Amino acid sequence: MRNGQLKLDVICKEVIELSHETGHFILKEKDKFNSSDIRKKGFNDLVSYVDKNSEKKLIKGLQKILPGSGVLAEEGGGSFDKKYTWVIDPLDGTTNFIHKLPCFAISIALFEGKTPIAGVVNELNFKECFSAIKGKGAKVNGRKIKVSSQKKLGDALIATGFPYNDFGLQNEYMELFKELMHTTQGLRRIGSASVDLCYVAMGRFEAFYEYGLKPWDVSAGALIVKEAGGRLSDFDGGNDYLFGKSIVVTNGYLHKAFMQTVGKYFKGKMNKLQSVK
Ligand code: 2AM
Ligand code: CA
Protein backbone atom coordinates (compact mmCIF):
# COMPACT_ATOMS: atom_id res chain seq x y z
CA MET A 1 0.00 0.00 0.00
CA ARG A 2 1.28 3.50 -0.87
CA ASN A 3 -0.46 6.72 0.36
CA GLY A 4 -3.50 4.60 1.29
CA GLN A 5 -3.74 3.35 -2.34
CA LEU A 6 -3.51 -0.40 -2.93
CA LYS A 7 -1.04 -1.58 -5.54
CA LEU A 8 -3.58 -3.83 -7.20
CA ASP A 9 -1.27 -5.10 -9.94
CA VAL A 10 1.19 -6.37 -7.31
CA ILE A 11 -1.63 -7.84 -5.20
CA CYS A 12 -3.15 -9.54 -8.24
CA LYS A 13 0.19 -11.20 -9.11
CA GLU A 14 0.52 -12.49 -5.56
CA VAL A 15 -3.06 -13.82 -5.58
CA ILE A 16 -2.42 -15.62 -8.88
CA GLU A 17 0.71 -17.21 -7.36
CA LEU A 18 -1.25 -18.27 -4.27
CA SER A 19 -3.99 -19.77 -6.47
CA HIS A 20 -1.35 -21.83 -8.32
CA GLU A 21 0.12 -23.14 -5.05
CA THR A 22 -3.33 -24.04 -3.71
CA GLY A 23 -4.35 -25.45 -7.10
CA HIS A 24 -1.34 -27.75 -6.97
CA PHE A 25 -2.65 -29.14 -3.65
CA ILE A 26 -6.18 -29.65 -5.10
CA LEU A 27 -4.90 -31.50 -8.18
CA LYS A 28 -2.62 -33.71 -6.05
CA GLU A 29 -5.59 -34.68 -3.88
CA LYS A 30 -7.84 -35.41 -6.88
CA ASP A 31 -6.10 -38.68 -7.62
CA LYS A 32 -6.21 -39.90 -3.99
CA PHE A 33 -9.77 -38.77 -3.44
CA ASN A 34 -12.61 -41.26 -2.97
CA SER A 35 -16.29 -41.21 -2.00
CA SER A 36 -15.63 -41.77 1.72
CA ASP A 37 -14.03 -38.29 1.76
CA ILE A 38 -17.30 -36.60 0.81
CA ARG A 39 -19.54 -34.90 3.40
CA LYS A 40 -23.03 -33.50 2.84
CA LYS A 41 -23.71 -29.92 3.98
CA GLY A 42 -27.34 -30.20 2.85
CA PHE A 43 -29.39 -31.71 0.02
CA ASN A 44 -27.09 -32.03 -3.02
CA ASP A 45 -24.55 -29.90 -1.18
CA LEU A 46 -21.18 -31.62 -1.06
CA VAL A 47 -17.93 -30.74 0.65
CA SER A 48 -14.67 -32.50 1.45
CA TYR A 49 -11.39 -31.95 3.27
CA VAL A 50 -10.05 -30.68 -0.07
CA ASP A 51 -12.46 -27.69 -0.09
CA LYS A 52 -11.75 -26.99 3.58
CA ASN A 53 -7.95 -27.25 3.41
CA SER A 54 -7.84 -25.25 0.21
CA GLU A 55 -9.85 -22.51 1.95
CA LYS A 56 -7.49 -22.51 4.95
CA LYS A 57 -4.43 -22.17 2.70
CA LEU A 58 -6.06 -19.33 0.75
CA ILE A 59 -7.13 -17.37 3.83
CA LYS A 60 -3.67 -17.64 5.38
CA GLY A 61 -2.02 -16.48 2.15
CA LEU A 62 -4.51 -13.68 1.44
CA GLN A 63 -4.19 -12.21 4.90
CA LYS A 64 -0.45 -12.11 4.39
CA ILE A 65 -0.91 -10.36 1.03
CA LEU A 66 -3.22 -7.75 2.59
CA PRO A 67 -2.87 -7.61 6.39
CA GLY A 68 -6.03 -6.56 8.23
CA SER A 69 -8.36 -7.60 5.40
CA GLY A 70 -11.62 -9.50 6.06
CA VAL A 71 -12.82 -12.74 4.51
CA LEU A 72 -16.14 -14.13 3.28
CA ALA A 73 -15.62 -17.74 2.22
CA GLU A 74 -17.88 -20.61 1.16
CA GLU A 75 -16.96 -23.04 3.91
CA GLY A 76 -16.14 -20.69 6.79
CA GLY A 77 -18.51 -17.77 6.21
CA GLY A 78 -17.54 -14.22 7.25
CA SER A 79 -18.81 -10.70 6.61
CA PHE A 80 -18.05 -7.33 5.07
CA ASP A 81 -17.05 -5.42 8.19
CA LYS A 82 -13.56 -4.38 7.02
CA LYS A 83 -12.51 -1.85 4.38
CA TYR A 84 -11.15 -4.69 2.20
CA THR A 85 -12.71 -8.16 2.04
CA TRP A 86 -11.68 -11.30 0.17
CA VAL A 87 -14.62 -13.30 -1.19
CA ILE A 88 -13.44 -16.85 -1.79
CA ASP A 89 -14.68 -20.08 -3.28
CA PRO A 90 -11.84 -22.51 -2.55
CA LEU A 91 -13.21 -25.04 -5.05
CA ASP A 92 -15.91 -23.93 -7.46
CA GLY A 93 -17.24 -27.03 -9.17
CA THR A 94 -17.00 -29.40 -6.20
CA THR A 95 -19.38 -31.90 -7.82
CA ASN A 96 -17.13 -32.03 -10.90
CA PHE A 97 -14.05 -32.47 -8.70
CA ILE A 98 -15.66 -35.35 -6.82
CA HIS A 99 -16.49 -37.07 -10.13
CA LYS A 100 -13.01 -36.26 -11.50
CA LEU A 101 -14.58 -34.22 -14.27
CA PRO A 102 -13.21 -30.91 -15.57
CA CYS A 103 -13.96 -27.98 -14.95
CA PHE A 104 -13.29 -26.74 -11.41
CA ALA A 105 -11.60 -23.60 -10.20
CA ILE A 106 -10.40 -21.45 -7.33
CA SER A 107 -12.27 -18.15 -7.26
CA ILE A 108 -10.97 -15.13 -5.32
CA ALA A 109 -12.35 -11.59 -5.38
CA LEU A 110 -11.10 -8.57 -3.49
CA PHE A 111 -13.78 -6.06 -2.45
CA GLU A 112 -13.42 -2.48 -1.28
CA GLY A 113 -16.61 -2.10 0.74
CA LYS A 114 -19.22 -3.87 -1.41
CA THR A 115 -17.40 -3.22 -4.72
CA PRO A 116 -15.13 -5.84 -6.35
CA ILE A 117 -11.78 -4.31 -7.30
CA ALA A 118 -9.79 -7.41 -8.31
CA GLY A 119 -10.61 -10.99 -9.23
CA VAL A 120 -8.81 -14.24 -10.00
CA VAL A 121 -10.42 -17.45 -11.28
CA ASN A 122 -7.90 -20.25 -11.73
CA GLU A 123 -9.36 -23.18 -13.72
CA LEU A 124 -7.05 -26.01 -12.79
CA ASN A 125 -7.65 -28.68 -15.45
CA PHE A 126 -6.94 -26.62 -18.55
CA LYS A 127 -4.50 -24.41 -16.66
CA GLU A 128 -6.27 -21.19 -17.52
CA CYS A 129 -5.87 -18.50 -14.89
CA PHE A 130 -8.24 -15.55 -15.44
CA SER A 131 -7.75 -12.23 -13.70
CA ALA A 132 -9.03 -8.66 -13.70
CA ILE A 133 -8.44 -5.37 -11.95
CA LYS A 134 -11.27 -2.82 -11.87
CA GLY A 135 -10.82 -0.37 -14.75
CA LYS A 136 -7.77 -2.22 -16.15
CA GLY A 137 -9.29 -5.02 -18.28
CA ALA A 138 -9.25 -8.81 -18.01
CA LYS A 139 -6.64 -11.43 -18.83
CA VAL A 140 -6.11 -15.16 -19.15
CA ASN A 141 -2.60 -16.35 -18.32
CA GLY A 142 -1.42 -12.74 -18.73
CA ARG A 143 -3.03 -12.23 -22.18
CA LYS A 144 -5.84 -9.65 -22.64
CA ILE A 145 -9.30 -11.11 -23.31
CA LYS A 146 -12.61 -9.74 -24.51
CA VAL A 147 -16.15 -10.97 -25.04
CA SER A 148 -17.36 -12.25 -28.42
CA SER A 149 -18.81 -9.90 -31.00
CA GLN A 150 -21.66 -12.22 -31.96
CA LYS A 151 -24.85 -10.24 -32.49
CA LYS A 152 -27.28 -13.01 -33.43
CA LEU A 153 -28.95 -15.04 -30.70
CA GLY A 154 -29.38 -17.86 -33.24
CA ASP A 155 -25.56 -18.19 -33.49
CA ALA A 156 -24.93 -17.82 -29.77
CA LEU A 157 -23.77 -20.59 -27.41
CA ILE A 158 -25.36 -20.20 -23.99
CA ALA A 159 -24.18 -21.52 -20.62
CA THR A 160 -26.37 -22.12 -17.62
CA GLY A 161 -26.45 -23.92 -14.28
CA PHE A 162 -29.35 -26.20 -13.36
CA PRO A 163 -31.21 -25.55 -10.11
CA TYR A 164 -29.67 -27.96 -7.58
CA ASN A 165 -31.47 -27.49 -4.28
CA ASP A 166 -33.94 -24.64 -4.59
CA PHE A 167 -36.68 -25.77 -6.93
CA GLY A 168 -39.10 -22.87 -6.30
CA LEU A 169 -38.69 -21.61 -9.88
CA GLN A 170 -38.11 -24.94 -11.58
CA ASN A 171 -41.02 -24.59 -14.04
CA GLU A 172 -39.99 -21.08 -15.09
CA TYR A 173 -36.42 -22.37 -15.51
CA MET A 174 -37.56 -25.24 -17.74
CA GLU A 175 -39.76 -22.98 -19.89
CA LEU A 176 -36.88 -20.56 -20.51
CA PHE A 177 -34.56 -23.50 -21.25
CA LYS A 178 -37.07 -24.85 -23.80
CA GLU A 179 -37.30 -21.51 -25.59
CA LEU A 180 -33.49 -21.18 -25.74
CA MET A 181 -33.19 -24.73 -27.15
CA HIS A 182 -35.14 -23.45 -30.15
CA THR A 183 -33.68 -19.97 -30.51
CA THR A 184 -29.91 -20.36 -29.87
CA GLN A 185 -27.04 -22.47 -31.21
CA GLY A 186 -27.09 -24.58 -28.05
CA LEU A 187 -26.90 -24.73 -24.28
CA ARG A 188 -24.10 -26.04 -22.04
CA ARG A 189 -23.94 -26.84 -18.32
CA ILE A 190 -20.36 -26.91 -17.11
CA GLY A 191 -20.94 -27.01 -13.33
CA SER A 192 -18.68 -24.15 -12.24
CA ALA A 193 -20.24 -20.68 -12.34
CA SER A 194 -16.91 -18.87 -12.03
CA VAL A 195 -15.64 -20.69 -15.12
CA ASP A 196 -18.89 -20.04 -17.03
CA LEU A 197 -18.40 -16.32 -16.41
CA CYS A 198 -14.78 -16.43 -17.58
CA TYR A 199 -15.76 -18.34 -20.73
CA VAL A 200 -18.18 -15.51 -21.57
CA ALA A 201 -15.32 -13.10 -20.86
CA MET A 202 -13.05 -14.79 -23.43
CA GLY A 203 -15.79 -15.32 -26.03
CA ARG A 204 -16.37 -19.09 -25.77
CA PHE A 205 -19.95 -18.44 -24.65
CA GLU A 206 -22.14 -15.49 -25.62
CA ALA A 207 -24.21 -15.60 -22.44
CA PHE A 208 -24.61 -17.30 -19.05
CA TYR A 209 -27.53 -17.34 -16.64
CA GLU A 210 -28.20 -19.09 -13.34
CA TYR A 211 -30.09 -18.52 -10.10
CA GLY A 212 -29.43 -19.66 -6.54
CA LEU A 213 -25.74 -18.74 -6.57
CA LYS A 214 -23.74 -17.12 -3.77
CA PRO A 215 -21.32 -14.15 -3.85
CA TRP A 216 -18.27 -16.47 -3.71
CA ASP A 217 -19.45 -18.30 -6.88
CA VAL A 218 -19.78 -15.15 -8.99
CA SER A 219 -17.81 -12.18 -7.59
CA ALA A 220 -14.43 -12.76 -9.24
CA GLY A 221 -15.93 -14.02 -12.53
CA ALA A 222 -18.37 -11.09 -12.67
CA LEU A 223 -15.53 -8.55 -12.47
CA ILE A 224 -13.54 -10.49 -15.07
CA VAL A 225 -16.42 -10.55 -17.57
CA LYS A 226 -17.29 -6.91 -16.92
CA GLU A 227 -13.68 -5.90 -17.55
CA ALA A 228 -13.73 -7.99 -20.75
CA GLY A 229 -16.64 -5.90 -22.06
CA GLY A 230 -19.60 -8.02 -20.91
CA ARG A 231 -22.88 -6.80 -19.42
CA LEU A 232 -24.45 -8.12 -16.26
CA SER A 233 -27.91 -8.01 -14.67
CA ASP A 234 -29.99 -9.92 -12.17
CA PHE A 235 -33.04 -11.80 -13.51
CA ASP A 236 -35.26 -8.75 -12.88
CA GLY A 237 -33.00 -6.54 -14.99
CA GLY A 238 -31.44 -4.83 -11.95
CA ASN A 239 -27.83 -4.74 -10.73
CA ASP A 240 -28.10 -7.06 -7.74
CA TYR A 241 -26.26 -9.93 -9.44
CA LEU A 242 -23.56 -10.48 -6.77
CA PHE A 243 -25.76 -10.70 -3.67
CA GLY A 244 -29.26 -11.16 -5.16
CA LYS A 245 -28.93 -14.85 -6.13
CA SER A 246 -29.59 -14.49 -9.85
CA ILE A 247 -27.24 -13.52 -12.64
CA VAL A 248 -27.39 -12.96 -16.39
CA VAL A 249 -24.25 -12.06 -18.28
CA THR A 250 -23.88 -11.53 -22.01
CA ASN A 251 -21.35 -10.20 -24.49
CA GLY A 252 -23.32 -6.93 -24.39
CA TYR A 253 -24.62 -7.06 -27.98
CA LEU A 254 -27.18 -9.70 -27.00
CA HIS A 255 -28.07 -8.27 -23.60
CA LYS A 256 -31.33 -6.53 -24.44
CA ALA A 257 -32.76 -9.46 -26.41
CA PHE A 258 -31.57 -12.00 -23.85
CA MET A 259 -33.00 -10.04 -20.91
CA GLN A 260 -36.34 -9.77 -22.69
CA THR A 261 -36.43 -13.55 -23.03
CA VAL A 262 -35.44 -14.10 -19.37
CA GLY A 263 -38.03 -11.51 -18.31
CA LYS A 264 -40.83 -13.39 -20.09
CA TYR A 265 -40.48 -16.22 -17.57
CA PHE A 266 -38.92 -14.65 -14.46
CA LYS A 267 -39.90 -10.98 -14.21
CA GLY A 268 -41.54 -10.37 -10.82
CA LYS A 269 -41.22 -14.03 -9.80
CA MET A 270 -37.89 -14.01 -7.94
CA ASN A 271 -39.67 -13.97 -4.58
CA LYS A 272 -40.71 -17.58 -5.33
CA LEU A 273 -37.09 -18.60 -4.82
CA GLN A 274 -37.10 -20.40 -1.48
CA SER A 275 -33.56 -19.37 -0.59
CA VAL A 276 -34.35 -15.66 -1.02
CA LYS A 277 -35.44 -14.43 2.40
P1 2AM B 1 -19.65 -25.05 -5.89
O1 2AM B 1 -19.11 -26.18 -6.66
O2 2AM B 1 -18.62 -24.19 -5.25
O3 2AM B 1 -20.72 -25.50 -4.91
C1 2AM B 1 -23.06 -24.87 -10.64
O4 2AM B 1 -24.35 -24.70 -11.06
C2 2AM B 1 -22.65 -23.75 -9.70
O5 2AM B 1 -23.48 -23.77 -8.55
C3 2AM B 1 -21.24 -23.92 -9.23
O6 2AM B 1 -20.59 -22.69 -9.25
C4 2AM B 1 -21.37 -24.46 -7.81
O7 2AM B 1 -20.36 -24.04 -6.91
C5 2AM B 1 -22.66 -23.84 -7.37
N1 2AM B 1 -23.27 -24.64 -6.34
C6 2AM B 1 -23.48 -24.24 -5.08
N2 2AM B 1 -24.05 -25.23 -4.37
C7 2AM B 1 -24.20 -26.28 -5.23
C8 2AM B 1 -24.74 -27.58 -5.09
N3 2AM B 1 -25.24 -27.98 -3.94
N4 2AM B 1 -24.71 -28.40 -6.16
C9 2AM B 1 -24.22 -27.98 -7.34
N5 2AM B 1 -23.71 -26.74 -7.54
C10 2AM B 1 -23.69 -25.90 -6.49
CA1 CA C 1 -17.16 -24.41 -3.62
Side-chain angles (χ1 to χ4, degrees), residues 131-152:
S131 60
I133 294 173
K134 186 169 178 258
K136 297 260 169 77
K139 294 180 178 176
V140 59
N141 296 341
R143 174 174 60 82
K144 279 255 181 198
I145 52 172
K146 61 179 181 100
V147 292
S148 91
S149 53
Q150 182 55 254
K151 294 177 185 68
K152 285 193 208 134

mmCIF file of all heavy atoms in Angstrom, residues 131-152:
data_model
loop_
_atom_site.group_PDB
_atom_site.id
_atom_site.type_symbol
_atom_site.label_atom_id
_atom_site.label_comp_id
_atom_site.label_asym_id
_atom_site.label_seq_id
_atom_site.Cartn_x
_atom_site.Cartn_y
_atom_site.Cartn_z
ATOM 1 N N SER A 131 -7.883 -13.262 -14.723
ATOM 2 C CA SER A 131 -7.751 -12.228 -13.698
ATOM 3 C C SER A 131 -8.255 -10.886 -14.230
ATOM 4 O O SER A 131 -8.329 -10.681 -15.451
ATOM 5 C CB SER A 131 -6.283 -12.091 -13.270
ATOM 6 O OG SER A 131 -5.498 -11.730 -14.382
ATOM 7 N N ALA A 132 -8.616 -10.017 -13.311
ATOM 8 C CA ALA A 132 -9.028 -8.659 -13.705
ATOM 9 C C ALA A 132 -8.793 -7.705 -12.548
ATOM 10 O O ALA A 132 -8.863 -8.092 -11.378
ATOM 11 C CB ALA A 132 -10.510 -8.633 -14.087
ATOM 12 N N ILE A 133 -8.507 -6.470 -12.917
ATOM 13 C CA ILE A 133 -8.443 -5.370 -11.950
ATOM 14 C C ILE A 133 -9.454 -4.336 -12.427
ATOM 15 O O ILE A 133 -9.523 -4.058 -13.648
ATOM 16 C CB ILE A 133 -7.021 -4.770 -11.904
ATOM 17 C CG1 ILE A 133 -6.035 -5.811 -11.356
ATOM 18 C CG2 ILE A 133 -6.987 -3.492 -11.072
ATOM 19 C CD1 ILE A 133 -4.582 -5.398 -11.415
ATOM 20 N N LYS A 134 -10.233 -3.801 -11.503
ATOM 21 C CA LYS A 134 -11.270 -2.823 -11.873
ATOM 22 C C LYS A 134 -10.683 -1.674 -12.692
ATOM 23 O O LYS A 134 -9.705 -1.041 -12.275
ATOM 24 C CB LYS A 134 -11.915 -2.282 -10.596
ATOM 25 C CG LYS A 134 -13.095 -1.387 -10.844
ATOM 26 C CD LYS A 134 -13.837 -1.101 -9.547
ATOM 27 C CE LYS A 134 -14.982 -0.167 -9.793
ATOM 28 N NZ LYS A 134 -14.703 1.197 -9.402
ATOM 29 N N GLY A 135 -11.255 -1.461 -13.874
ATOM 30 C CA GLY A 135 -10.816 -0.372 -14.745
ATOM 31 C C GLY A 135 -9.592 -0.693 -15.596
ATOM 32 O O GLY A 135 -9.139 0.129 -16.387
ATOM 33 N N LYS A 136 -9.035 -1.905 -15.448
ATOM 34 C CA LYS A 136 -7.771 -2.217 -16.146
ATOM 35 C C LYS A 136 -7.891 -3.396 -17.112
ATOM 36 O O LYS A 136 -6.893 -3.901 -17.611
ATOM 37 C CB LYS A 136 -6.690 -2.554 -15.108
ATOM 38 C CG LYS A 136 -6.331 -1.420 -14.176
ATOM 39 C CD LYS A 136 -5.042 -0.748 -14.645
ATOM 40 C CE LYS A 136 -4.745 0.543 -13.939
ATOM 41 N NZ LYS A 136 -4.219 0.367 -12.619
ATOM 42 N N GLY A 137 -9.112 -3.920 -17.326
ATOM 43 C CA GLY A 137 -9.286 -5.016 -18.282
ATOM 44 C C GLY A 137 -9.109 -6.385 -17.651
ATOM 45 O O GLY A 137 -8.822 -6.516 -16.458
ATOM 46 N N ALA A 138 -9.301 -7.412 -18.483
ATOM 47 C CA ALA A 138 -9.249 -8.805 -18.007
ATOM 48 C C ALA A 138 -8.235 -9.594 -18.821
ATOM 49 O O ALA A 138 -7.975 -9.281 -19.984
ATOM 50 C CB ALA A 138 -10.632 -9.432 -18.138
ATOM 51 N N LYS A 139 -7.687 -10.631 -18.187
ATOM 52 C CA LYS A 139 -6.641 -11.429 -18.830
ATOM 53 C C LYS A 139 -6.851 -12.908 -18.572
ATOM 54 O O LYS A 139 -7.485 -13.283 -17.584
ATOM 55 C CB LYS A 139 -5.270 -11.052 -18.247
ATOM 56 C CG LYS A 139 -4.838 -9.646 -18.567
ATOM 57 C CD LYS A 139 -3.481 -9.354 -17.944
ATOM 58 C CE LYS A 139 -3.019 -7.953 -18.316
ATOM 59 N NZ LYS A 139 -1.766 -7.597 -17.677
ATOM 60 N N VAL A 140 -6.284 -13.739 -19.468
ATOM 61 C CA VAL A 140 -6.111 -15.158 -19.147
ATOM 62 C C VAL A 140 -4.624 -15.466 -19.333
ATOM 63 O O VAL A 140 -4.047 -15.159 -20.382
ATOM 64 C CB VAL A 140 -7.010 -16.090 -20.005
ATOM 65 C CG1 VAL A 140 -6.766 -15.959 -21.502
ATOM 66 C CG2 VAL A 140 -6.847 -17.539 -19.552
ATOM 67 N N ASN A 141 -4.037 -16.059 -18.318
ATOM 68 C CA ASN A 141 -2.597 -16.351 -18.320
ATOM 69 C C ASN A 141 -1.773 -15.155 -18.831
ATOM 70 O O ASN A 141 -0.860 -15.306 -19.644
ATOM 71 C CB ASN A 141 -2.306 -17.593 -19.170
ATOM 72 C CG ASN A 141 -2.941 -18.834 -18.577
ATOM 73 O OD1 ASN A 141 -3.292 -18.857 -17.392
ATOM 74 N ND2 ASN A 141 -3.107 -19.875 -19.375
ATOM 75 N N GLY A 142 -2.180 -13.954 -18.394
ATOM 76 C CA GLY A 142 -1.422 -12.744 -18.731
ATOM 77 C C GLY A 142 -1.796 -12.099 -20.056
ATOM 78 O O GLY A 142 -1.317 -11.020 -20.379
ATOM 79 N N ARG A 143 -2.655 -12.752 -20.847
ATOM 80 C CA ARG A 143 -3.033 -12.228 -22.180
ATOM 81 C C ARG A 143 -4.412 -11.569 -22.082
ATOM 82 O O ARG A 143 -5.323 -12.132 -21.485
ATOM 83 C CB ARG A 143 -3.042 -13.427 -23.142
ATOM 84 C CG ARG A 143 -3.527 -13.178 -24.536
ATOM 85 C CD ARG A 143 -3.319 -14.448 -25.404
ATOM 86 N NE ARG A 143 -4.025 -15.638 -24.913
ATOM 87 C CZ ARG A 143 -5.301 -15.907 -25.140
ATOM 88 N NH1 ARG A 143 -6.054 -15.072 -25.816
ATOM 89 N NH2 ARG A 143 -5.847 -17.013 -24.671
ATOM 90 N N LYS A 144 -4.552 -10.381 -22.689
ATOM 91 C CA LYS A 144 -5.839 -9.651 -22.643
ATOM 92 C C LYS A 144 -6.964 -10.465 -23.286
ATOM 93 O O LYS A 144 -6.742 -11.115 -24.310
ATOM 94 C CB LYS A 144 -5.707 -8.331 -23.418
ATOM 95 C CG LYS A 144 -5.044 -7.251 -22.603
ATOM 96 C CD LYS A 144 -6.069 -6.226 -22.115
ATOM 97 C CE LYS A 144 -5.388 -5.132 -21.304
ATOM 98 N NZ LYS A 144 -6.319 -4.386 -20.473
ATOM 99 N N ILE A 145 -8.148 -10.413 -22.711
ATOM 100 C CA ILE A 145 -9.299 -11.109 -23.313
ATOM 101 C C ILE A 145 -10.467 -10.143 -23.472
ATOM 102 O O ILE A 145 -10.556 -9.134 -22.767
ATOM 103 C CB ILE A 145 -9.750 -12.325 -22.471
ATOM 104 C CG1 ILE A 145 -9.970 -11.942 -20.994
ATOM 105 C CG2 ILE A 145 -8.777 -13.469 -22.601
ATOM 106 C CD1 ILE A 145 -10.587 -13.051 -20.155
ATOM 107 N N LYS A 146 -11.359 -10.485 -24.424
ATOM 108 C CA LYS A 146 -12.608 -9.737 -24.511
ATOM 109 C C LYS A 146 -13.746 -10.660 -24.943
ATOM 110 O O LYS A 146 -13.503 -11.762 -25.468
ATOM 111 C CB LYS A 146 -12.484 -8.510 -25.411
ATOM 112 C CG LYS A 146 -12.128 -8.762 -26.832
ATOM 113 C CD LYS A 146 -12.099 -7.395 -27.524
ATOM 114 C CE LYS A 146 -11.791 -7.489 -28.921
ATOM 115 N NZ LYS A 146 -12.173 -7.497 -30.061
ATOM 116 N N VAL A 147 -14.961 -10.179 -24.718
ATOM 117 C CA VAL A 147 -16.155 -10.968 -25.043
ATOM 118 C C VAL A 147 -16.291 -11.112 -26.554
ATOM 119 O O VAL A 147 -15.659 -10.378 -27.318
ATOM 120 C CB VAL A 147 -17.422 -10.289 -24.467
ATOM 121 C CG1 VAL A 147 -17.430 -10.329 -22.963
ATOM 122 C CG2 VAL A 147 -17.554 -8.850 -24.972
ATOM 123 N N SER A 148 -17.156 -12.026 -26.978
ATOM 124 C CA SER A 148 -17.362 -12.247 -28.416
ATOM 125 C C SER A 148 -18.137 -11.086 -29.020
ATOM 126 O O SER A 148 -18.799 -10.324 -28.315
ATOM 127 C CB SER A 148 -18.121 -13.556 -28.649
ATOM 128 O OG SER A 148 -19.507 -13.319 -28.674
ATOM 129 N N SER A 149 -18.079 -10.989 -30.343
ATOM 130 C CA SER A 149 -18.807 -9.897 -30.999
ATOM 131 C C SER A 149 -20.056 -10.427 -31.710
ATOM 132 O O SER A 149 -20.610 -9.753 -32.573
ATOM 133 C CB SER A 149 -17.887 -9.169 -31.977
ATOM 134 O OG SER A 149 -17.307 -10.111 -32.853
ATOM 135 N N GLN A 150 -20.470 -11.609 -31.340
ATOM 136 C CA GLN A 150 -21.660 -12.222 -31.960
ATOM 137 C C GLN A 150 -22.916 -11.395 -31.655
ATOM 138 O O GLN A 150 -23.196 -11.097 -30.502
ATOM 139 C CB GLN A 150 -21.813 -13.651 -31.401
ATOM 140 C CG GLN A 150 -22.945 -14.446 -31.965
ATOM 141 C CD GLN A 150 -22.900 -14.538 -33.488
ATOM 142 O OE1 GLN A 150 -23.682 -13.881 -34.171
ATOM 143 N NE2 GLN A 150 -21.958 -15.325 -33.984
ATOM 144 N N LYS A 151 -23.657 -11.081 -32.699
ATOM 145 C CA LYS A 151 -24.847 -10.237 -32.493
ATOM 146 C C LYS A 151 -26.146 -11.005 -32.692
ATOM 147 O O LYS A 151 -27.234 -10.480 -32.448
ATOM 148 C CB LYS A 151 -24.797 -9.030 -33.430
ATOM 149 C CG LYS A 151 -23.630 -8.102 -33.087
ATOM 150 C CD LYS A 151 -23.499 -6.926 -34.024
ATOM 151 C CE LYS A 151 -22.252 -6.119 -33.704
ATOM 152 N NZ LYS A 151 -20.981 -6.814 -33.983
ATOM 153 N N LYS A 152 -26.039 -12.256 -33.174
ATOM 154 C CA LYS A 152 -27.276 -13.012 -33.433
ATOM 155 C C LYS A 152 -27.480 -14.071 -32.363
ATOM 156 O O LYS A 152 -26.621 -14.938 -32.175
ATOM 157 C CB LYS A 152 -27.160 -13.731 -34.778
ATOM 158 C CG LYS A 152 -27.294 -12.826 -35.966
ATOM 159 C CD LYS A 152 -27.490 -13.692 -37.210
ATOM 160 C CE LYS A 152 -26.966 -12.969 -38.425
ATOM 161 N NZ LYS A 152 -26.157 -13.812 -39.279
#
